[in-house]
Amino acid sequence: RGPGGSFDALLAADQRIEPRDDMPDAYRQTLIRQIAQHAHSEIIGMQPEGNWISRAPSLRRKAILMAKVQDEAGHGLYLYSAAETLGVDRSELLDKLHAGKQRYSSIFNYPTATWADAGAIGWLVDGAAIMNQVPLCRCSYGPYARAMIRVCKEESFHQRQGFEILWTLARGTDRQRAMAQDAANRWWWPALMMFGPPDTGEAATGGHTEQSMAWGIKRFSNDELRQRFVDMTVPQADKLGLTLPDPDLRWNAERGHYDFGAIDWDEFWQVLKGDGPCNSQRIAHRVKAHEDGAWVREAANAYAAKQAARATA
Amino acid sequence: RGPGGSFDALLAADQRIEPRDDMPDAYRQTLIRQIAQHAHSEIIGMQPEGNWISRAPSLRRKAILMAKVQDEAGHGLYLYSAAETLGVDRSELLDKLHAGKQRYSSIFNYPTATWADAGAIGWLVDGAAIMNQVPLCRCSYGPYARAMIRVCKEESFHQRQGFEILWTLARGTDRQRAMAQDAANRWWWPALMMFGPPDTGEAATGGHTEQSMAWGIKRFSNDELRQRFVDMTVPQADKLGLTLPDPDLRWNAERGHYDFGAIDWDEFWQVLKGDGPCNSQRIAHRVKAHEDGAWVREAANAYAAKQAARATA
Amino acid sequence: SAETAAYVLGLGDDALIYAQRLGEWISRAPQIEEDMALGNIGLDLLGQARALLTRAGQLDGTGRDEDRLAYFRDEREFRCVHLVQQPRGDFAHEMARLLWFSSYQTELYAALAGSADEIVAGVARKATKEVSYHRDHARQWMLRLGDGTTQSHERMQDALNWVSGYTSELFFDDRVSVAAADSGIGVLPSRLLSGATQFVQSVVAEATLVMPDPPLQNARGGRDGVHSQAMGYLLAEMQHIARSHPDATSW
Amino acid sequence: SAETAAYVLGLGDDALIYAQRLGEWISRAPQIEEDMALGNIGLDLLGQARALLTRAGQLDGTGRDEDRLAYFRDEREFRCVHLVQQPRGDFAHEMARLLWFSSYQTELYAALAGSADEIVAGVARKATKEVSYHRDHARQWMLRLGDGTTQSHERMQDALNWVSGYTSELFFDDRVSVAAADSGIGVLPSRLLSGATQFVQSVVAEATLVMPDPPLQNARGGRDGVHSQAMGYLLAEMQHIARSHPDATSW
């Protein structure tokens, strides 16, 4: 298409908004917040699994896990770059993360208690993330949509790796199988919470869903995505031979979906507000890395400036 | 005996010199150096065994080891107190240790590579220490002699505990037995070096032996003590079922002693001069503890001063 | 019953894991006297742990001895609170932790001295004097640090703020504690709160410090075997040699 | 022969243990690009380690696979140099270590590309490109830090001084290396010294830094399985889960 175009016309034609296009400030701010939160989630998300790199029980798994956590760093970079096309820069966004002014996904405030959690995160957390992210590949903002295409491809690879960890454990010794089941028990409900609070019904809390949908940033409601995730995951659990910790979980032939039990939204809000198991630890870990590295970044800048000066001298 | 007395007369009568007595400055300085070195050895000596407290393979052994390392701290305290009777204070001596101006026993510059080393240190290193220290219980300087009596009693307890660790390992699995043998192999020669270089013969390097003997600080030559240690230890090794790593070690009926092979004095001097396996680590560990605790000691002093001021107000 | 065994195991694990942390101070304390004091406190706790773990292994019917329980359980099977797992911080952090833990244990053992389980009661009676010494030791240092220098005052206050995120777990009535209290073997943790808090408050005031505001984040999950991140590394270190010799029967 | 197997094992252990240390940087690096870069270098080394350990297990006739060798050997059976065991320091320390280690490995693999053992030769040929990238990465950072700010210059110089106590062990001709070189499978470590040193010297000069004086203390003993104190703790962490499941056959 030709250069520029009216924001509303582009949206109506389901075309991509690009950085050079005019856009409403609210659209820009919503995207910055969402992309930054997404990028922060990748960066903070390195920690729970990073916790198992040094203790992975086989060298093959260690290599896979190192590569995976490294991919998350890469996803963070793509996403910060996408945010930068909206006129902010990475260091500013990181400062907001560190100061608690921008969020990351609450799921990463849960601890990784055993090796099996490396599997459960891949299977359930990455699985839920993909469900959230696939529609974003058609997001109205071009750079975000393109970043998501790349991210989703790798995430689905990670999801399979997580599934494979649990598959192996579930076919291992009794203690390995118990470890896999325990991880599924602990991660199932937090994974369901990843889709956010209900959009409608008693538990709905307003939120930005309607506007985001109108802007082509969001394509499906939280509850729709959650239902899809449940429908996709229950048969996978069967295949693994693991039970999901919900006595109300059963196929509803009439709806053509799985019914599932009530989510504990009190827990969701508690973790979101800061009283999760690992909230302060995650930020402290991140801030420490950032502060410990300040002198290195300064040196790199000073060197680059000297080199530039030498080149022009 | 009555108060005071001439230094030479007291020595001649084999009586104790006490802090109030006149004494030659060289005697005082020699004692300060020797007692400080001895105290420092107790404090630095906490590290090699302290290395195994967190990993001791049974709770009983963990408790015994904690108590033992704690005893070493206690020995350090007695000895610093003894040195303080000569007009120096502990913090001054510690500063000299930290600055590398006073020594500690070179044996503690060897690493504790396995759990069995906790046994070998007790058996061989404490065994050698006792051999050195028992005569010091009759040292001419009273406070030092009395400190040594107390230390020797506990050391011989530690020596038995070390023996018992090796005894148990030597009767355990093949790998436990190999661990015990390996520890004996690594600690035997360094233990022999603990008696210091030869007093006589080609390898002798002068030293202070003669003067110390005249002053009643030293009672036996290095080589005499070393021979006694070998004579005591070889039958213990037999009892343990361990081999000592010296092909020349054999009973000499004529001498009524065990003959043993040549000691590698190059290694001794190398370690003494700073190029042992752990020299810088031992001092760095100690200095870090001291520096990390500086604010605590300052606070304790400030509080004590406030309390004193309040008491007099 | 299984609950009683789990209850006793939890008490033993608290003592064991805190002993492990205190052991790290030996050769690293601010002065040699303190190497000895923290070592002594660690030894007392280790002694309590050994007796309690031994008892837990009898009560649960598995016949596991103290070493089997300490060295061959996985992280999820430990039942200690997060407080005792936290990595060694500076000396102020240790004193803040020790003040709370020993104040809690003082109330705990006073109550357990009347336990329906004679062995638990015996451990408690013996430990009462020990933990009261620990509490006094922490108190003395709180005073020195709180009312020492400006720097020490600030560090001590920071440490008090930090520790407040880990104390509520000590007084939480989990299912197992409720069952143990019902059976007369244990005591409800919530019953220990006011006594422990009163002691801490009095020391804090005397030390010219202030009680922190309620913390934003509260540790939880230890009694269900969901631990803080530090726990896995602590166990790796503690268990490594024992786990490396699965066929060894004696050390 | 046993010597050849031990030689290959030592090369594998160097790569494995350094990969373990580099893995600790992931999520802790000065910038996200560096989380990725250090992770990549760690992954390359881990790949080398897996191939070399597998080969060592074939050569020594025990048939142990890479995991058996990595997770079920005791500390005294590891043959790595002290350099790779040292705890993660600051970023300058890591770059000093990486510069020396990658300069050593660049010379090593160039020589081993002609190894009489086809598998070792294959590993070496594949790794040559990897380690030359690692060396360049370290070089770039040495320049930035050495010729960056006053603070970074000082820290980089300190780190160079520190690392000098650990480099001579890389080039020491122990009995096993001599035997491996004699058999045409290995290369004499001392033959790698001048090439590696020249590269380091050129980078140090370019970075406005100076080569340290000969160190007072030199690490030794790693090839005989006598390690620095950090090694036992590293192994405890690395091996804990695998050792906790001795009957697991698959992960």
Side-chain angles (χ1 to χ4, degrees), chain A residues 43 46-47 52-63 66-67 69-70 73-74 77 80 90 94 115 165 168-169 173 175-176 179 285-286 289 293 295-300 302-303 306-307 310, chain D residues 16 19-20 23 26-33 35-36 39-40 42-43 46 50 53 66-67 70-71 90-92 141 143-145 147-149 151-152 155 237-238 241-242 244-245 247-248 250-251:
Chain A
I43 298 306
M46 295 167 73
Q47 292 180 37
W52 286 97
I53 289 175
S54 68
R55 297 178 289 167
S58 78
L59 296 184
R60 177 170 158 265
R61 289 291 177 201
K62 189 191 286 280
M66 279 175 82
V69 179
Q70 208 191 24
L77 286 183
Y80 285 122
R90 194 212 298 184
L94 283 173
W115 164 250
I165 287 175
T168 307
L169 293 175
T173 65
R175 282 168 64 223
Q176 285 179 307
M179 195 194 287
H285 179 114
R286 175 65 216 152
W295 69 274
V296 176
R297 296 189 301 275
E298 277 162 30
Y303 178 76
K306 284 187 200 178
Q307 289 295 91
R310 282 167 196 151
Chain D
L16 174 66
Q20 181 76 1
I26 301 177
S27 82
R28 296 186 180 90
Q31 55 193 34
I32 301 167
E33 289 83 352
D35 284 307
M36 298 181 71
N40 254 323
L43 272 171
L46 185 53
R50 293 175 65 190
L53 292 187
E66 59 182 53
D67 287 333
Y71 291 102
D90 75 5
F91 190 70
W141 274 113
L143 299 183
R144 290 189 198 109
L145 299 180
D147 193 15
T149 65
Q151 187 195 13
S152 71
R155 291 177 81 141
E237 186 173 323
M238 185 174 91
I241 302 302
S244 295
H245 293 266
D247 53 343
S250 174
W251 288 100

Side-chain angles (χ1 to χ4, degrees), chain B:
Chain B
R1 76 182 165 78
S6 124
F7 178 77
D8 291 330
L10 287 169
L11 273 192
D14 208 13
Q15 293 219 11
R16 292 280 160 81
I17 313 293
E18 294 297 334
R20 65 185 167 218
D21 295 325
D22 284 334
M23 60 189 94
D25 194 54
Y27 175 83
R28 185 186 299 273
Q29 294 311 324
T30 297
L31 273 169
I32 290 174
R33 201 188 55 237
Q34 179 169 336
I35 300 174
Q37 173 166 339
H38 196 157
H40 298 332
S41 298
E42 297 285 354
I43 298 306
I44 296 290
M46 296 169 70
Q47 292 180 38
E49 289 172 286
N51 181 34
W52 286 96
I53 289 175
S54 67
R55 296 177 291 166
S58 79
L59 296 185
R60 176 171 159 265
R61 290 289 178 203
K62 189 191 288 279
I64 292 172
L65 187 59
M66 278 175 83
K68 181 189 169 180
V69 179
Q70 211 190 21
D71 281 347
E72 289 164 359
H75 297 176
L77 285 184
Y78 309 156
L79 287 159
Y80 285 123
S81 297
E84 286 183 330
T85 64
L86 292 159
V88 288
D89 68 54
R90 194 211 302 184
S91 65
E92 186 185 328
L93 299 177
L94 284 173
D95 288 344
K96 285 188 177 157
L97 168 66
H98 300 158
K101 288 180 188 161
Q102 286 181 342
R103 293 186 187 284
Y104 55 90
S105 174
S106 254
I107 192 77
F108 300 119
N109 290 320
Y110 288 86
T112 43
T114 74
W115 164 251
D117 291 28
I121 287 185
W123 176 43
L124 296 173
V125 175
D126 292 342
I130 293 167
M131 198 58 81
N132 269 327
Q133 289 166 11
V134 164
L136 289 171
C137 297
R138 297 189 290 118
C139 161
S140 62
Y141 188 61
Y144 190 25
R146 289 188 289 276
M148 288 323 302
I149 291 169
R150 213 165 147 187
V151 168
C152 280
K153 206 176 293 174
E154 293 182 2
E155 292 283 11
S156 77
F157 190 58
H158 296 163
Q159 206 255 354
R160 280 201 300 279
Q161 289 170 341
F163 185 86
E164 204 218 332
I165 288 176
L166 293 179
W167 174 271
T168 307
L169 292 176
R171 273 139 201 82
T173 64
D174 288 351
R175 281 168 64 223
Q176 286 178 306
R177 190 158 47 250
M179 198 194 285
Q181 181 60 58
D182 171 56
N185 292 348
R186 283 181 290 102
W187 288 94
W188 173 248
W189 290 108
L192 291 191
M193 295 179 201
M194 284 176 70
F195 298 93
D199 312 81
T200 55
E202 280 178 45
T205 56
H208 312 283
T209 299
E210 207 173 330
Q211 177 62 78
S212 286
M213 287 210 176
W215 278 335
I217 299 175
K218 202 170 164 69
R219 301 274 173 185
F220 303 98
S221 75
N222 295 349
D223 290 321
E224 278 177 283
L225 292 168
R226 187 167 13 244
Q227 180 69 60
R228 281 195 202 187
F229 174 71
V230 171
D231 291 347
M232 176 186 81
T233 307
V234 173
Q236 294 177 352
D238 287 343
K239 211 176 288 180
L240 286 171
L242 297 177
T243 308
L244 293 171
D246 178 358
D248 298 327
L249 192 66
R250 65 178 56 85
W251 180 250
N252 182 328
E254 203 169 323
R255 292 207 302 129
H257 290 294
Y258 283 91
D259 289 340
F260 54 97
I263 292 173
D264 179 359
W265 292 109
D266 290 344
E267 176 180 321
F268 175 81
W269 294 112
Q270 184 185 12
V271 176
L272 196 78
K273 285 175 184 155
D275 192 12
C278 303
N279 298 51
S280 57
Q281 174 189 333
R282 297 297 183 227
I283 288 294
H285 180 114
R286 173 66 216 152
V287 168
K288 182 170 185 343
H290 192 72
E291 289 177 354
D292 286 353
W295 70 275
V296 176
R297 296 189 301 275
E298 278 162 29
N301 291 338
Y303 178 76
K306 284 187 200 179
Q307 289 295 92
R310 282 169 197 149
T312 60

Side-chain angles (χ1 to χ4, degrees), chain D residues 33-72:
Chain D
E33 289 83 352
E34 203 55 29
D35 284 307
M36 298 181 71
L38 293 177
N40 254 323
I41 296 171
L43 272 171
D44 287 343
L45 291 174
L46 185 53
Q48 297 165 20
R50 293 175 65 190
L52 291 166
L53 292 187
T54 300
R55 185 58 181 151
Q58 295 163 348
L59 289 170
D60 74 4
T62 61
R64 288 176 291 182
D65 67 10
E66 59 182 53
D67 287 333
R68 200 73 215 164
L69 286 168
Y71 291 102
F72 291 89

